[in-house]
Amino acid sequence: MTEAEQQTVAILVPGQFNDHAVGRIDRTFSRVGIERPDASLVTDELRRSVRGIAAFGGINAALMDALPNLEIIANFGVGYDSVDVRHAAQRGIMVTNTPDVLTEEVADTALGLLINTVRDLPRAETWLRDGSWKRKGNYPLSRLTLRGRSVGIFGMGRIGLAIARRLEAFGLPIAYHNRRQVEGLPYDYHQTLKGLAEAVDTLISVAPGGASTEKAVNAEILSALGADGVFVNIGRGSTVDEAALAAALADGTIAAAGLDVFADEPNVPQALLAAPNTSLLPHVGSASEHTRRAMADLCVDNLVSWFSRGKALTPVPETEKVKAQS
Ligand code: NAP
Ligand code: 8YV
């Protein structure tokens, strides 16, 4: 397809989207919008014209079926648990995501969140800012430390590995759980999440969302982590039983938790907000201008490559074999 032909291709962008991605889509394709990704908002014109979607996820089967000419969904993000990929594969729709370009940024955030959680740094900063340092003296010593800890990573993929490399530099022993052992890794592998939680006192979850990880971090896992246990989640909120986590933090089953992701964002359970032993972030793992721009470029590059050469750059495994029709 020539550049002039591409400019007639309708790309649906539901809701607010990344500015850099929107600018590139506007220069390359014909952008159309709806308020949110909802099949009931699809007009006859959109039904007829839309061939691609660029979105933050949230694309269900009904929306795909409302768009009979849809060929590709370019997901802005590496995690694509909110796209019904099984339905996309059945319908022959390509789904792409944004791996690698955010790996180091998210790993940096994970380490920041771990240190904030263990050393209580956000509350120490508040102590300085609200005048407590002058009025009351030094901030109390942190009960917890990274020294002597052993860390388990739930989800030793691209980001898990980048976190592990950083933890090595911190001098901490590392173990992990995946469904499959990663060949050639020097870290202890555990076949079950429970086995991993029993072996470590610090658990970092960077596993994807979806049915296979739903509430995997439950009361049993938290209890296995133990009273000095620290849980950090930079993956997806759906992987945690949040009620069990709040209970474990309140009754001393574990010592502290650092969370960047939640089951029902932006709604954060009151019990986690109120707990004195949580450090909470509003899903900012990849949220720097630098990294979001790289994600935007990869998201749009997938659309450009699909419509100009019939090939996606970073297809998700479930739709790897989907072929372009034209
Ligand atoms: P990845 O390379 O695909 O790694 C995912 C790892 O999880 C794989 O090693 C996989 O190994 C393991 N895994 C998947 N399902 C599992 C299961 N049911 N049980 C045990 N292990 C399982 O993905 P990535 O690039 O590292 O990204 C990981 C996730 O981080 C994303 O899916 C996303 O949800 C999250 N994320 C969050 C942020 C943020 O802002 N907080 C930013 C980026 C990404 P096996 O297949 O062998 O099980
Ligand atoms: C983004 C993410 O916050 O890539 C992911 O899976 O969770 C984050 O990088 C998100 O995708 C942007 O909405």
Side-chain angles (χ1 to χ4, degrees), residues 21-59:
V22 167
R24 282 199 57 198
I25 292 169
D26 282 347
R27 287 192 294 279
T28 318
F29 300 103
S30 164
R31 179 169 59 95
V32 292
I34 47 178
E35 205 182 314
R36 54 182 190 280
D38 180 340
S40 71
L41 301 178
V42 172
T43 60
D44 287 347
E45 171 57 21
L46 293 178
R47 182 178 165 77
R48 194 187 53 72
S49 63
V50 169
R51 293 176 64 186
I53 295 179
F56 289 130
I59 310 298

Side-chain angles (χ1 to χ4, degrees), residues 56 76-79 98 102 106 235-236 283 286 292 295:
F56 289 130
F76 188 103
V78 68
T98 62
L102 45 58
V106 180
R236 279 291 179 268
H283 200 149
S286 65
R292 287 291 170 83
M295 291 163 67

Side-chain angles (χ1 to χ4, degrees), residues 236-253:
R236 279 291 179 268
S238 61
T239 63
V240 181
D241 179 340
E242 287 180 338
L245 175 60
L249 287 162
D251 68 15
T253 301

Side-chain angles (χ1 to χ4, degrees), residues 207-232:
S212 75
T213 55
E214 178 83 24
K215 294 192 178 171
V217 179
N218 56 23
E220 189 187 22
I221 301 300
L222 295 166
S223 167
L225 208 51
D228 270 335
V230 170
F231 173 62
V232 168

